[in-house]
Each structure stands twice: as structure tokens, then as C-alpha cells.
Amino acid sequence: MQAIWNGEVLAMSDDTVVVDGNHYFPPESVNMQFMRPSRTRTRCPWKGKASYYTIEVDGKKNIDSAWYYPKTKKAADSIKGRVAFWKGVEVR
């Protein structure tokens, strides 16, 4: 699987975990040069508290378009620390 935005590969892995239709990539497969930490946080009742990244490629920003769960509730342990994408990021 690959996550692509603005012509750049943000993540690539054969080891994604699919939850709620989203592919969660292992952290070591994410190209962190494009990730900017965000202050945004959300809470999922069964997964826990999500943190976000803003993606920046060639000066263009995609605000809060990647997220991860640094700590998870027991039911979501399989995605702990993994990164998922949305907001126009193509995952294929």
C-alpha cells in the first residue's frame, strides 16, 4: 500500500492494518520529512485519543490530514502508533 499526496509518497508498506476502512501504516514506513505535528486532538470512544499531522509538500499544506493513536484502548491495540491518512491523500 502507498499513501500519496501532491505527487509524493508519504508512506509505503505491505503491513497495513485496516480499521473502519482506513489503512494504518507502521510508523517506520512513513516519510516523516512531510509530516508536521499538529495541536489537533480528537477522541474515539473505542480507539482512544488521536493526534494529527499536517502534511507539507512543496510548500503546500494539507491540514490535519494524517492521524495516529500514540496510546490506544485495548480494543485498538493493533493500530497503536500507526498512521492513517485522509483529506485527499490517495491510499492505494
Side-chain angles (χ1 to χ4, degrees):
M1 297 301 299
Q2 293 183 331
I4 301 167
W5 184 74
N6 201 24
E8 292 288 348
V9 175
L10 307 174
M12 184 168 43
S13 179
D14 291 329
D15 177 31
T16 63
V17 175
V18 180
V19 174
D20 294 337
N22 297 301
H23 285 267
Y24 284 81
F25 289 78
E28 62 274 7
S29 73
V30 178
N31 193 340
M32 293 304 292
Q33 80 180 56
F34 302 119
M35 304 294 137
R36 307 289 179 262
S38 169
R39 292 184 180 177
T40 301
R41 303 290 183 269
T42 58
R43 185 171 304 280
C44 172
W46 74 272
K47 290 180 241 159
K49 188 176 181 181
S51 296
Y52 288 78
Y53 291 114
T54 289
I55 298 168
E56 186 173 347
V57 175
D58 293 332
K60 295 180 182 173
K61 293 182 179 180
N62 193 343
I63 307 290
D64 296 341
S65 53
W67 75 95
Y68 64 100
Y69 293 88
K71 296 180 182 178
T72 56
K73 293 187 176 185
K74 183 98 174 130
D77 280 349
S78 66
I79 60 168
K80 182 178 180 179
R82 289 175 172 258
V83 180
F85 300 90
W86 65 331
K87 293 188 176 182
V89 175
E90 184 181 357
V91 177
R92 58 179 183 193

